[in-house]
Amino acid sequence: MFSPVYISDMNCVTPLGLDLQDNWIAILKEDTGIDVHTVGCFENIYTAKIKDLPTVRTDLTYLERMLYLTLEPMVRSKPLGAKTGFILSTTKGNIEFLSEGKSEEAQLHKLAFKMSSLFGFITRPIVVSHACVSGVLAVSVAKRLIQTGQFDEVFVLAGDKVSEFVLSGFNAFQAMSAKPCKPFDSGRDGVTLGEAAGAILVTKSPEHALVEIVGEGAINDANHISGPSRTGEGLYRSISSALNEAGIDASAIDFISAHGTATPYNDEMEAIAFDRLGMNDIPLNSLKGYYGHTLGASGLLELIISILSLRHNKLIPTKGFVSRGTSKDVNIITQKMDVPLTYILKTASGFGGSNAAAILKKVNG
Amino acid sequence: MEELKEELKGKIIEVLNLEDVAVADIDDSDALFGDGLGLDSIDALELIVLLDKEYGIKLSDPKQGKSIFESVNTMADYIAKNRTK
Amino acid sequence: MDSALYISHYSKIEKGLISVDGNVIFHAGEAQFSDFIKQAFKYQQLDYPKFYKMDNLSKLAFLSAEVLLRDEEDKEDIALVLANKSGSLDTDVKHQESIQDAANFYPSPAVFVYTLANICGGEISIRHGMKSEQVFFVSDAFDVVTISNYATYLLASQKAKKVLCGWVELFEENYKAVLYLVERAGTKLHTINNINQLVKN
């Protein structure tokens, strides 16, 4: 019923590298961006912070520089017309303005407008701010708006930075890991926060396409605003919805890029949802051991790295994982493997009972 | 001790926004979680902050909370023994 | 795409007034938001103590949905497409106040959890059992074109049976909520003009 939609370009700026290539090289070496940093009054804690972010322009905040460095190479030589959309995915944007009492400057729509003007988009910027599923959901929004005819192509840009604001909140939630996070592991004890920006170009045209977005869904648990569902209901339904749209069985998925925050409840919930779908044997990873949890960027960043996996037919291990720590069996990738890949599933879950899933199929590969 | 219990009830009602609940409605031995006041996981985290902020008690292991937050009795006992302010 | 979609019902909360389908159902006069919304909630005679734990944005969204969905049945597949201008800024400021002073640093989990704009949608979902598609957009004013296309997509793709759309804005004492239900039956067509009239007036 709807025309196919593709992803045809991408980039990211993270603690592991300031472009796609450097990130992939670091991932293949199994480097981590997590290190000891001091953030506000939190001294010597593990976070994944970018160490030397270039000062490309002096009129930009730290986060804006991350966003600028990510998208600028992609739009540099592109005409941005009336059918070119711009979606920004972020949870907290320029939140540090609040500590200076500048609440108006911290508005997310202001950040989107500033970035949009900087790049020269002529359509109205769209902000998706939906907790930790923002990045994956923003891809769905781009696809859906292309399928309604509103746009021919959409640049999706996602970013969040490490802040005392978020750290203090996760800490009050007793959700911070004392050590670098250990997704799906029996000894996991919480999140490591990170910062990153990622960008993709979503298109109607199959030209230069890397993948087709064959199905996606973003369904709420309707259970609790902070606690993950005990049955993984929303994630189960999100994946089911994506599979249904793609017209494939769960067994057709070659690889799952899970959310895997390394909190006891989240990873358990995901394992339950995958088990309910009979996806126990499908190779699965969480990239949080490389990048930490980058909030509104995480879903998009992990989707980007997973597209690289897909294009290179290479499975990436779950850094930090040693032994299974979920009640249901899931096939956690523990070492690099060369495997032919066609379909991949990216998922995310977050506060507010939110979940998102997207299935990508390799094209032109 | 009775004074501490009364004070504690008032603070619980205040920080957990228990509208329509009065100090007199809470028995010292009422279960705070489950069927009692119907508190949930966020409330438990909020009680950990209350111990820290009001009584200078830092819970190193949040799992300790389960036995401490059973009732006003257990909470008051713990505070009396461990308070630093 | 098939355009036979309708706005079946709508609710508004603004300036101490609550209305459903244009009929005022509650009026509080000159009260502060927190007093007004509490009075309005009590007037609904609803046994839902969690309401008092919500932040102001969630209280606003919750009550707007409550009066609109009162007579709805089978709510599980009603999608939720919400937008506002200030995101969760009102609660962000409160969380910031709790960490501003290093000597008095007591961030509250119950406040922090509301420092995400989409939580108010989560509260609506929990209340009505809406295990459904959801998204939260932020923009300086209601983006009618994007929201209407998005709702149309959800219905045309059968990812939702109905879509609850709207604007739920709150920062300090400035607040406004307009929610409307989009479905395949009704009399008011789901058009840009009709949505504009609802939301902008």
Side-chain angles (χ1 to χ4, degrees), chain A residues 90-124:
Chain A
T90 185
T91 60
K92 298 317 312 162
N94 284 320
I95 193 70
E96 69 274 16
F97 277 125
L98 286 192
S99 65
E100 301 163 34
K102 298 176 177 169
S103 58
E104 194 54 29
E105 280 82 348
Q107 294 270 23
L108 300 182
H109 67 87
K110 291 224 157 162
L111 171 63
F113 186 76
K114 184 171 179 184
M115 299 313 294
S116 170
S117 314
L118 206 60
F119 295 121
F121 289 102
I122 59 174
T123 55
R124 182 176 185 167

Side-chain angles (χ1 to χ4, degrees), chain A residues 171-175 224-227 265, chain B residues 40-42 45 48-49 59-62:
Chain A
N171 200 47
F173 252 87
Q174 313 280 345
H224 193 270
I225 53 169
S226 64
Y265 288 119
Chain B
D40 78 353
S41 54
I42 301 177
L45 295 167
I48 293 177
V49 177
L59 285 196
S60 49
D61 179 5

Side-chain angles (χ1 to χ4, degrees), chain C residues 12-147:
Chain C
K12 277 189 192 188
I13 301 185
E14 192 179 19
K15 295 176 186 142
L17 269 175
I18 302 181
S19 66
V20 179
D21 294 333
N23 305 309
V24 174
I25 61 161
F26 184 81
H27 183 213
E30 296 289 311
Q32 291 255 309
F33 177 79
S34 55
D35 295 333
F36 154 64
I37 206 77
K38 194 188 218 176
Q39 282 177 44
F41 175 76
K42 293 206 174 208
Y43 183 75
Q44 298 299 313
Q45 299 192 318
L46 199 65
D47 181 24
Y48 202 79
K50 272 197 283 185
F51 179 82
Y52 300 106
K53 296 174 186 269
M54 295 178 195
D55 74 341
N56 280 342
L57 176 64
S58 290
K59 283 177 178 161
L60 176 69
F62 179 93
L63 205 58
S64 310
E66 191 60 34
V67 296
L68 183 62
L69 297 177
R70 172 137 294 182
D71 300 323
E72 275 298 311
E73 289 167 11
D74 193 15
K75 294 182 270 199
E76 192 170 289
D77 280 329
I78 301 178
L80 199 49
V81 179
L82 298 178
N84 77 4
K85 176 183 172 185
S86 301
S88 57
L89 194 61
D90 189 66
T91 298
D92 293 352
V93 169
K94 292 190 173 75
H95 176 65
Q96 182 64 41
E97 284 166 359
S98 74
I99 61 169
Q100 189 72 25
D101 176 6
N104 191 24
F105 192 94
Y106 296 105
S108 151
V111 172
F112 178 70
V113 71
Y114 289 100
T115 62
L116 293 162
N118 62 298
I119 302 297
C120 66
E123 293 285 14
I124 294 173
S125 301
I126 293 167
R127 161 69 183 143
H128 299 283
M130 289 155 63
K131 292 172 183 166
S132 59
E133 277 285 341
Q134 283 194 18
V135 67
F136 201 101
F137 295 110
V138 175
S139 55
D140 59 342
F142 194 69
D143 184 348
V144 183
V145 173
T146 296
I147 304 276

Side-chain angles (χ1 to χ4, degrees), chain A residues 41 73-74 126 138 160 189 221 224 279 300 308 332 342 350 352:
Chain A
C41 69
M74 290 170 62
I126 294 167
D160 266 310
D189 66 347
D221 287 329
H224 193 270
M279 301 178 105
L300 192 69
L308 290 172
I332 309 289
T342 305

